[in-house]
Amino acid sequence: MVDIEVARSDLSTVIDKKDDAFLGQNIKGMMMTLIARWNAEMDEARAETEFADVRPADIRVFAQLRGRTVKLSTIHREMGFSRQAAQQAVERLTGHGMITVQSDPQSKRDKLVSITPKGHRWRTIAAEQIRRIETEIGEAIGSDGKESLRRHLITLTGNT
């Protein structure tokens, strides 16, 4: 057991020295930092609205709808949540009056999730916050850089 600990210790030291700069500035990590910052700013803006008592994680599930009527299975698959976790978030959002859930006429097992008028009010608030974030991005990298970033993200996400 001691030999394994020594090997793990040696391995982590080698990796840290070799990849320190890479790990400090990797794209994934920097994107996660930005997303966390922007989510916190959106949570702060939400705190002053009728949506203040909605859980931040549930707001992110709601955001995944992107205005669409979608199957519950799509929500959990796109977000990487378990079906149970997605179902619980959907139940809480339904309780807040932000979405409705109906049986899918094409499937006995799946449910269709749709946005209510109250949910659309949140979308309007969120759109204002997202525009502010995109303005911040444009100020940092210029309008052409922002649109180039958008095109690259579309390519990377497969949302062509």
Side-chain angles (χ1 to χ4, degrees), residues 4 11 14 33 45-46 66 104-105 138 143:
I4 293 172
L11 180 59
V14 172
T33 298
R46 186 174 43 77
R66 295 190 305 272
D104 183 350
S143 180

Side-chain angles (χ1 to χ4, degrees), residues 13 27 49:
T13 302
I27 293 169
T49 71

